[in-house]
Amino acid sequence: MTDSPSFTEIRYDKPAERIARITLARADTRNAQDRKMLYEINAALDMAMHDDAVRVVILAADGPHFSSGHHLGDRSKVGDHGAPVMGVGGYELPGPEGYMAQEQEIYLGFCWRWRNLPKPTIAQVQGKAIAGGLMLVWPFDLIVASEDAEFSDPVVAFGVNGHEFFVHAYEVGHRRAKEMLFTGEPIGAAEAKTLGMVNHVVPRERLEAFTLELAGKVAQRPSVGLKLAKMSVNQSLDAQGMWTAVQSAFGLHHVGHAHNRIVYNGSFVDPDGARIIREQAKAGRKAAE
Ligand code: ZN
């Protein structure tokens, strides 16, 4: 129905009445998210929020995998893909100050902003959602996964605590959170359902249709009720200290980056981390054969 040709990393459409859908459209890079993609997602979410005919938003992805995480080769700067939205500033200042400001804008800031959008959102996940890819899943309200979906955050190998939106203990429980972080191994769809991390697991070929059906049910409710229900559940988590915990972990994340920068000659991450994660992914593929 509606298309936005100016987007290059995503598509925006309205597949049914009252439903908007954002699709990560870089299957060629397994939807590795660069900064341009994050700003496009943010802009598309704003379009959906400002369209009174839309009641629910789906975030889906092309290709076999939802998202392989941050695009580590992205050298673009905050401001290259639109005006900064979180009001942080100082992105290019030297040292940890500038780098923390960047991550406050594009990771922590966007995730928390998307988590608090007034309309219900649904993540539709197939294949792998790794580290930064998981940060495109957890901010959303409902999660529908295909049977082959896998969720992991292996970045302890980089010498940090986990990805920047640190809600792991809320999502999978504190013991499972520690194991997923300590080992870097993925949580499969079936286990994620048992843990309450995903709402539904469906066969891959049913994923899109099932998610649309679920969105269709949500879209039958009045927007005000949906908004108030969402705010109330979010505030229940906030009353448990969720936002304080996330910010505290973000500070520790930057202790990790600052440490690595000193020890590894300016690198924000342990250079061995990429190799370890690659080997782990290869071993996982072998085990699945
Ligand atoms: Zn970081």
Side-chain angles (χ1 to χ4, degrees):
M1 289 156 74
T2 308
D3 243 297
S4 244
S6 59
F7 293 136
T8 60
E9 312 297 295
I10 64 166
R11 292 189 306 281
Y12 181 86
D13 73 336
K14 289 161 95 174
E17 202 183 346
R18 299 177 177 173
I19 300 173
R21 181 170 57 190
I22 298 162
T23 303
L24 310 182
R26 291 299 306 271
D28 57 318
T29 65
R30 305 195 159 192
N31 298 310
Q33 70 209 237
D34 50 20
R35 294 172 179 210
K36 188 165 196 293
M37 179 184 278
L38 295 173
Y39 277 89
E40 288 190 5
I41 293 169
N42 190 63
L45 285 166
D46 276 349
M47 283 170 63
M49 293 306 123
H50 296 151
D51 182 345
D52 291 348
V54 169
R55 287 205 189 161
V56 56
V57 186
I58 295 168
L59 181 68
D62 284 346
H65 298 293
F66 182 82
S67 172
S68 58
H70 296 151
H71 195 307
L72 296 175
D74 182 12
R75 295 284 172 266
S76 66
K77 295 186 168 137
V78 171
D80 284 354
H81 310 294
V85 295
M86 300 307 299
V88 181
Y91 311 107
E92 295 305 316
L93 291 174
E97 183 181 8
Y99 196 57
M100 184 166 152
Q102 292 179 33
E103 293 204 339
Q104 280 178 303
E105 160 78 7
I106 59 173
Y107 300 147
L108 181 63
F110 275 170
C111 284
W112 194 246
R113 183 169 192 266
W114 299 344
R115 183 265 199 184
N116 290 315
L117 293 171
K119 297 180 185 181
T121 54
I122 305 176
Q124 173 190 310
V125 185
Q126 78 279 9
K128 294 181 195 302
I130 303 173
L134 198 47
M135 294 200 330
L136 298 182
V137 177
W138 280 350
F140 298 100
D141 298 317
L142 307 180
I143 301 171
V144 181
S146 60
E147 289 163 343
D148 67 336
E150 282 187 357
F151 307 88
S152 65
D153 185 8
V155 301
V156 168
F158 282 139
V160 293
N161 49 351
H163 65 52
E164 292 82 0
F165 185 52
F166 206 93
V167 293
H168 305 62
Y170 287 89
E171 292 289 351
V172 299
H174 65 284
R175 280 195 204 288
R176 196 65 182 90
K178 285 174 182 169
E179 187 180 350
M180 91 182 276
L181 291 163
F182 294 170
T183 68
E185 289 174 358
I187 294 176
E191 188 192 352
K193 172 104 172 18
T194 308
L195 293 166
M197 200 208 97
V198 307
N199 295 81
H200 298 279
V201 178
V202 299
R204 177 73 183 84
E205 61 274 15
R206 282 275 298 141
L207 182 64
E208 180 178 353
F210 184 94
T211 307
L212 276 171
E213 285 162 25
L214 179 61
K217 284 184 204 168
V218 173
Q220 288 169 27
R221 297 286 180 265
S223 56
V224 63
L226 292 170
K227 178 177 179 175
L228 299 180
K230 174 167 177 170
M231 288 174 73
S232 299
V233 174
N234 281 355
Q235 285 163 9
S236 303
L237 294 167
D238 296 345
Q240 295 170 19
M242 189 182 195
W243 180 225
T244 305
V246 169
Q247 290 178 97
S248 172
F250 184 75
L252 294 176
H253 181 89
H254 278 273
V255 170
H257 279 319
H259 168 87
N260 293 329
R261 205 166 178 198
I262 292 166
V263 173
Y264 299 115
N265 198 26
S267 169
F268 291 105
V269 297
D270 181 334
D272 271 348
R275 179 185 56 76
I276 290 166
I277 290 169
R278 257 198 316 271
E279 281 172 4
Q280 192 165 28
K282 217 155 85 186
R285 274 200 301 275
K286 277 219 173 89
E289 279 166 12

PDB file of all heavy atoms in Angstrom, residues 105-120:
ATOM      1  N   GLU A 105      23.616   7.439  21.820  1.00  0.00           N
ATOM      2  CA  GLU A 105      22.689   7.849  20.762  1.00  0.00           C
ATOM      3  C   GLU A 105      22.132   6.632  20.013  1.00  0.00           C
ATOM      4  O   GLU A 105      20.926   6.424  19.974  1.00  0.00           O
ATOM      5  CB  GLU A 105      23.422   8.790  19.781  1.00  0.00           C
ATOM      6  CG  GLU A 105      22.810   8.945  18.391  1.00  0.00           C
ATOM      7  CD  GLU A 105      21.608   9.877  18.342  1.00  0.00           C
ATOM      8  OE1 GLU A 105      21.292  10.535  19.353  1.00  0.00           O
ATOM      9  OE2 GLU A 105      20.963   9.931  17.276  1.00  0.00           O
ATOM     10  N   ILE A 106      23.000   5.831  19.430  1.00  0.00           N
ATOM     11  CA  ILE A 106      22.514   4.853  18.444  1.00  0.00           C
ATOM     12  C   ILE A 106      22.146   3.500  19.027  1.00  0.00           C
ATOM     13  O   ILE A 106      21.422   2.744  18.392  1.00  0.00           O
ATOM     14  CB  ILE A 106      23.511   4.658  17.277  1.00  0.00           C
ATOM     15  CG1 ILE A 106      24.863   4.176  17.800  1.00  0.00           C
ATOM     16  CG2 ILE A 106      23.645   5.896  16.446  1.00  0.00           C
ATOM     17  CD1 ILE A 106      25.835   3.812  16.694  1.00  0.00           C
ATOM     18  N   TYR A 107      22.657   3.152  20.184  1.00  0.00           N
ATOM     19  CA  TYR A 107      22.325   1.842  20.762  1.00  0.00           C
ATOM     20  C   TYR A 107      21.394   1.989  21.966  1.00  0.00           C
ATOM     21  O   TYR A 107      20.201   1.673  21.887  1.00  0.00           O
ATOM     22  CB  TYR A 107      23.588   1.070  21.161  1.00  0.00           C
ATOM     23  CG  TYR A 107      24.523   0.809  20.002  1.00  0.00           C
ATOM     24  CD1 TYR A 107      25.894   0.761  20.182  1.00  0.00           C
ATOM     25  CD2 TYR A 107      24.034   0.599  18.712  1.00  0.00           C
ATOM     26  CE1 TYR A 107      26.755   0.517  19.131  1.00  0.00           C
ATOM     27  CE2 TYR A 107      24.898   0.367  17.651  1.00  0.00           C
ATOM     28  CZ  TYR A 107      26.256   0.326  17.873  1.00  0.00           C
ATOM     29  OH  TYR A 107      27.109   0.091  16.825  1.00  0.00           O
ATOM     30  N   LEU A 108      21.935   2.489  23.052  1.00  0.00           N
ATOM     31  CA  LEU A 108      21.097   2.605  24.253  1.00  0.00           C
ATOM     32  C   LEU A 108      19.896   3.520  24.003  1.00  0.00           C
ATOM     33  O   LEU A 108      18.762   3.184  24.346  1.00  0.00           O
ATOM     34  CB  LEU A 108      21.939   3.148  25.418  1.00  0.00           C
ATOM     35  CG  LEU A 108      21.186   3.295  26.737  1.00  0.00           C
ATOM     36  CD1 LEU A 108      20.713   1.935  27.242  1.00  0.00           C
ATOM     37  CD2 LEU A 108      22.064   3.974  27.786  1.00  0.00           C
ATOM     38  N   GLY A 109      20.167   4.660  23.373  1.00  0.00           N
ATOM     39  CA  GLY A 109      19.102   5.640  23.154  1.00  0.00           C
ATOM     40  C   GLY A 109      18.003   5.101  22.260  1.00  0.00           C
ATOM     41  O   GLY A 109      16.817   5.174  22.594  1.00  0.00           O
ATOM     42  N   PHE A 110      18.386   4.553  21.106  1.00  0.00           N
ATOM     43  CA  PHE A 110      17.372   4.028  20.186  1.00  0.00           C
ATOM     44  C   PHE A 110      16.588   2.881  20.827  1.00  0.00           C
ATOM     45  O   PHE A 110      15.367   2.828  20.730  1.00  0.00           O
ATOM     46  CB  PHE A 110      18.023   3.539  18.889  1.00  0.00           C
ATOM     47  CG  PHE A 110      18.252   4.620  17.861  1.00  0.00           C
ATOM     48  CD1 PHE A 110      19.023   4.366  16.732  1.00  0.00           C
ATOM     49  CD2 PHE A 110      17.699   5.881  18.003  1.00  0.00           C
ATOM     50  CE1 PHE A 110      19.237   5.351  15.770  1.00  0.00           C
ATOM     51  CE2 PHE A 110      17.911   6.877  17.056  1.00  0.00           C
ATOM     52  CZ  PHE A 110      18.683   6.602  15.936  1.00  0.00           C
ATOM     53  N   CYS A 111      17.291   1.947  21.462  1.00  0.00           N
ATOM     54  CA  CYS A 111      16.589   0.780  22.035  1.00  0.00           C
ATOM     55  C   CYS A 111      15.558   1.218  23.072  1.00  0.00           C
ATOM     56  O   CYS A 111      14.432   0.714  23.093  1.00  0.00           O
ATOM     57  CB  CYS A 111      17.583  -0.194  22.669  1.00  0.00           C
ATOM     58  SG  CYS A 111      18.480  -1.167  21.465  1.00  0.00           S
ATOM     59  N   TRP A 112      15.976   2.139  23.925  1.00  0.00           N
ATOM     60  CA  TRP A 112      15.039   2.563  24.972  1.00  0.00           C
ATOM     61  C   TRP A 112      13.891   3.379  24.381  1.00  0.00           C
ATOM     62  O   TRP A 112      12.743   3.256  24.799  1.00  0.00           O
ATOM     63  CB  TRP A 112      15.779   3.363  26.053  1.00  0.00           C
ATOM     64  CG  TRP A 112      14.953   3.534  27.289  1.00  0.00           C
ATOM     65  CD1 TRP A 112      14.443   4.692  27.795  1.00  0.00           C
ATOM     66  CD2 TRP A 112      14.517   2.481  28.179  1.00  0.00           C
ATOM     67  NE1 TRP A 112      13.728   4.438  28.938  1.00  0.00           N
ATOM     68  CE2 TRP A 112      13.762   3.091  29.194  1.00  0.00           C
ATOM     69  CE3 TRP A 112      14.689   1.091  28.209  1.00  0.00           C
ATOM     70  CZ2 TRP A 112      13.164   2.358  30.228  1.00  0.00           C
ATOM     71  CZ3 TRP A 112      14.100   0.366  29.236  1.00  0.00           C
ATOM     72  CH2 TRP A 112      13.349   1.002  30.230  1.00  0.00           C
ATOM     73  N   ARG A 113      14.195   4.174  23.374  1.00  0.00           N
ATOM     74  CA  ARG A 113      13.153   4.947  22.689  1.00  0.00           C
ATOM     75  C   ARG A 113      12.145   4.004  22.048  1.00  0.00           C
ATOM     76  O   ARG A 113      10.934   4.183  22.165  1.00  0.00           O
ATOM     77  CB  ARG A 113      13.817   5.828  21.629  1.00  0.00           C
ATOM     78  CG  ARG A 113      12.877   6.731  20.893  1.00  0.00           C
ATOM     79  CD  ARG A 113      13.624   7.761  20.045  1.00  0.00           C
ATOM     80  NE  ARG A 113      12.662   8.759  19.608  1.00  0.00           N
ATOM     81  CZ  ARG A 113      12.019   8.703  18.454  1.00  0.00           C
ATOM     82  NH1 ARG A 113      12.271   7.718  17.606  1.00  0.00           N
ATOM     83  NH2 ARG A 113      11.129   9.618  18.142  1.00  0.00           N
ATOM     84  N   TRP A 114      12.644   2.966  21.352  1.00  0.00           N
ATOM     85  CA  TRP A 114      11.743   2.045  20.657  1.00  0.00           C
ATOM     86  C   TRP A 114      10.931   1.237  21.663  1.00  0.00           C
ATOM     87  O   TRP A 114       9.766   0.944  21.435  1.00  0.00           O
ATOM     88  CB  TRP A 114      12.556   1.101  19.754  1.00  0.00           C
ATOM     89  CG  TRP A 114      13.341   1.813  18.699  1.00  0.00           C
ATOM     90  CD1 TRP A 114      13.166   3.115  18.290  1.00  0.00           C
ATOM     91  CD2 TRP A 114      14.445   1.302  17.937  1.00  0.00           C
ATOM     92  NE1 TRP A 114      14.096   3.432  17.313  1.00  0.00           N
ATOM     93  CE2 TRP A 114      14.880   2.346  17.078  1.00  0.00           C
ATOM     94  CE3 TRP A 114      15.100   0.075  17.903  1.00  0.00           C
ATOM     95  CZ2 TRP A 114      15.939   2.178  16.191  1.00  0.00           C
ATOM     96  CZ3 TRP A 114      16.154  -0.090  17.016  1.00  0.00           C
ATOM     97  CH2 TRP A 114      16.564   0.959  16.171  1.00  0.00           C
ATOM     98  N   ARG A 115      11.544   0.884  22.774  1.00  0.00           N
ATOM     99  CA  ARG A 115      10.828   0.145  23.821  1.00  0.00           C
ATOM    100  C   ARG A 115       9.644   0.957  24.344  1.00  0.00           C
ATOM    101  O   ARG A 115       8.636   0.409  24.771  1.00  0.00           O
ATOM    102  CB  ARG A 115      11.826  -0.175  24.944  1.00  0.00           C
ATOM    103  CG  ARG A 115      11.276  -0.996  26.091  1.00  0.00           C
ATOM    104  CD  ARG A 115      10.813  -0.123  27.248  1.00  0.00           C
ATOM    105  NE  ARG A 115      10.708  -0.892  28.481  1.00  0.00           N
ATOM    106  CZ  ARG A 115      10.261  -0.382  29.613  1.00  0.00           C
ATOM    107  NH1 ARG A 115       9.876   0.883  29.692  1.00  0.00           N
ATOM    108  NH2 ARG A 115      10.199  -1.134  30.701  1.00  0.00           N
ATOM    109  N   ASN A 116       9.771   2.262  24.322  1.00  0.00           N
ATOM    110  CA  ASN A 116       8.738   3.111  24.910  1.00  0.00           C
ATOM    111  C   ASN A 116       7.796   3.746  23.890  1.00  0.00           C
ATOM    112  O   ASN A 116       7.000   4.608  24.249  1.00  0.00           O
ATOM    113  CB  ASN A 116       9.400   4.208  25.752  1.00  0.00           C
ATOM    114  CG  ASN A 116      10.030   3.630  27.003  1.00  0.00           C
ATOM    115  OD1 ASN A 116       9.425   2.807  27.685  1.00  0.00           O
ATOM    116  ND2 ASN A 116      11.252   4.040  27.286  1.00  0.00           N
ATOM    117  N   LEU A 117       7.861   3.322  22.635  1.00  0.00           N
ATOM    118  CA  LEU A 117       6.929   3.870  21.645  1.00  0.00           C
ATOM    119  C   LEU A 117       5.495   3.556  22.080  1.00  0.00           C
ATOM    120  O   LEU A 117       5.242   2.507  22.678  1.00  0.00           O
ATOM    121  CB  LEU A 117       7.188   3.250  20.274  1.00  0.00           C
ATOM    122  CG  LEU A 117       8.533   3.625  19.616  1.00  0.00           C
ATOM    123  CD1 LEU A 117       8.749   2.769  18.370  1.00  0.00           C
ATOM    124  CD2 LEU A 117       8.585   5.111  19.278  1.00  0.00           C
ATOM    125  N   PRO A 118       4.551   4.431  21.777  1.00  0.00           N
ATOM    126  CA  PRO A 118       3.201   4.244  22.316  1.00  0.00           C
ATOM    127  C   PRO A 118       2.399   3.100  21.708  1.00  0.00           C
ATOM    128  O   PRO A 118       1.495   2.587  22.344  1.00  0.00           O
ATOM    129  CB  PRO A 118       2.523   5.587  22.023  1.00  0.00           C
ATOM    130  CG  PRO A 118       3.316   6.193  20.918  1.00  0.00           C
ATOM    131  CD  PRO A 118       4.714   5.708  21.089  1.00  0.00           C
ATOM    132  N   LYS A 119       2.756   2.675  20.499  1.00  0.00           N
ATOM    133  CA  LYS A 119       1.951   1.629  19.856  1.00  0.00           C
ATOM    134  C   LYS A 119       2.599   0.258  20.027  1.00  0.00           C
ATOM    135  O   LYS A 119       3.830   0.152  20.064  1.00  0.00           O
ATOM    136  CB  LYS A 119       1.787   1.927  18.365  1.00  0.00           C
ATOM    137  CG  LYS A 119       1.030   3.223  18.107  1.00  0.00           C
ATOM    138  CD  LYS A 119       0.883   3.516  16.631  1.00  0.00           C
ATOM    139  CE  LYS A 119       0.235   4.881  16.450  1.00  0.00           C
ATOM    140  NZ  LYS A 119       0.033   5.249  15.046  1.00  0.00           N
ATOM    141  N   PRO A 120       1.792  -0.802  20.064  1.00  0.00           N
ATOM    142  CA  PRO A 120       2.356  -2.143  20.152  1.00  0.00           C
ATOM    143  C   PRO A 120       3.245  -2.465  18.951  1.00  0.00           C
ATOM    144  O   PRO A 120       2.954  -2.073  17.815  1.00  0.00           O
ATOM    145  CB  PRO A 120       1.129  -3.057  20.154  1.00  0.00           C
ATOM    146  CG  PRO A 120       0.017  -2.193  20.605  1.00  0.00           C
ATOM    147  CD  PRO A 120       0.327  -0.813  20.101  1.00  0.00           C
TER     148      PRO A 120
END
